[in-house]
Structure formats: C-alpha cells, structure tokens
Amino acid sequence: SDTARGTYLDCLRAHGGALLRSCAAAGERAAISFLLSLGVLTAVDVSAACDAAREKEQTAALSVLLAATGKAAAKGRAKTFDL
C-alpha cells in the first residue's frame, strides 16, 4: 500500500545512511544499487559510504557509489596506485 511504502521510505531517510555504509563496507553491490535507486539518500550518506568502501578496500562497491555520485566526487582527490 501507499502508506506502507511511505513509512518504509521514511525509515530509509532516517536510517538509510547507516545501512548504505554497512553495505559498502561489506561489498554488497546489489543492495547499494537498490538503496540508491530509491532516491532517499543524501549526498552526505553516499560520501560516507564511499569512505567506508575505501577503508574496507571494497573497490566494486566503491565503483557503484562513485558512478551514482558522478565524476565531480572524484575531482580533487589524490590518486594512488599500488603495483
């Protein structure tokens, strides 16, 4: 129902950032894509999830998050590569 959907989205607005960070740290790309598709997360939520993915070296999850933020999020960041 519309009421249940609204309640669900309100819950994700309140707690979705923590869920997104957890999914990013665990490398859950499908869950990240789903959460992003709902359009209820803020740029701050996504940025924090990017940081969590970087810390846990979850590059696949990070790529999904960065694709959602666009190229502007990567500007100004130092690029490092370990060979």
Side-chain angles (χ1 to χ4, degrees), residues 1-15:
S1 75
D2 289 338
T3 303
R5 179 175 169 75
T7 301
Y8 177 69
L9 293 177
D10 286 343
C11 182
L12 284 177
R13 282 184 194 95
H15 306 289

Side-chain angles (χ1 to χ4, degrees), residues 36-57:
L36 292 171
S37 74
L38 297 174
V40 296
L41 300 168
T42 67
V44 173
D45 292 334
V46 176
S47 178
C50 287
D51 291 341
R54 282 186 193 99
E55 289 172 13
K56 297 294 183 177
E57 297 182 1

